[in-house]
Amino acid sequence: MSNRMGIVAAVVACAGTALVAGSLSTSATAAASAVQIVKATAWPGQLATATCPTGFHLTGGGGDAHGAALIASRPSDDGQSWIALAKNVGADTGLDAQEDTTSWAVCSED
């Protein structure tokens, strides 16, 4: 059984545009918006913060804990980034024992 615990969630719904498993599909009645996925990886003990570029807004996101427990995965207070944090739940549970954490921000063009 793997020690890997993680949650990856990304949901996008904007003006008839949906992102599903990396493919962009649009309805015939709505104009397609550009969708960009931004990835960030943090060193142990730091938040992984994926930020949407200028001209884009956050529509969703997710986080993944590599060999650790994901303890936070949420939008930032300003609504432009997705943050994730993980903690080691094994024998050494100190913050310095955290594994790398990855976050993804799903961004849609303004």
Side-chain angles (χ1 to χ4, degrees), residues 1-78:
M1 184 172 183
S2 172
N3 265 347
R4 184 179 172 127
M5 292 182 197
I7 298 173
V8 177
V11 177
V12 178
C14 54
T17 303
L19 179 70
V20 180
S23 64
L24 183 66
S25 63
T26 60
S27 69
T29 59
S33 297
V35 174
Q36 188 172 27
I37 298 176
V38 179
K39 178 182 175 183
T41 301
W43 293 103
Q46 298 178 346
L47 291 173
T49 304
T51 302
C52 293
T54 301
F56 286 76
H57 63 274
L58 184 71
T59 58
D64 188 24
H66 307 279
L70 189 65
I71 59 173
S73 178
R74 64 174 181 84
S76 61
D77 291 339
D78 68 2

Side-chain angles (χ1 to χ4, degrees), residues 61-108:
D64 188 24
H66 307 279
L70 189 65
I71 59 173
S73 178
R74 64 174 181 84
S76 61
D77 291 339
D78 68 2
Q80 278 300 106
S81 304
W82 196 272
I83 60 173
L85 179 65
K87 184 174 181 182
N88 186 333
V89 293
D92 184 0
T93 59
L95 285 178
D96 61 337
Q98 285 184 312
E99 301 292 336
D100 288 346
T101 306
T102 303
S103 66
W104 292 271
V106 180
C107 310
S108 181

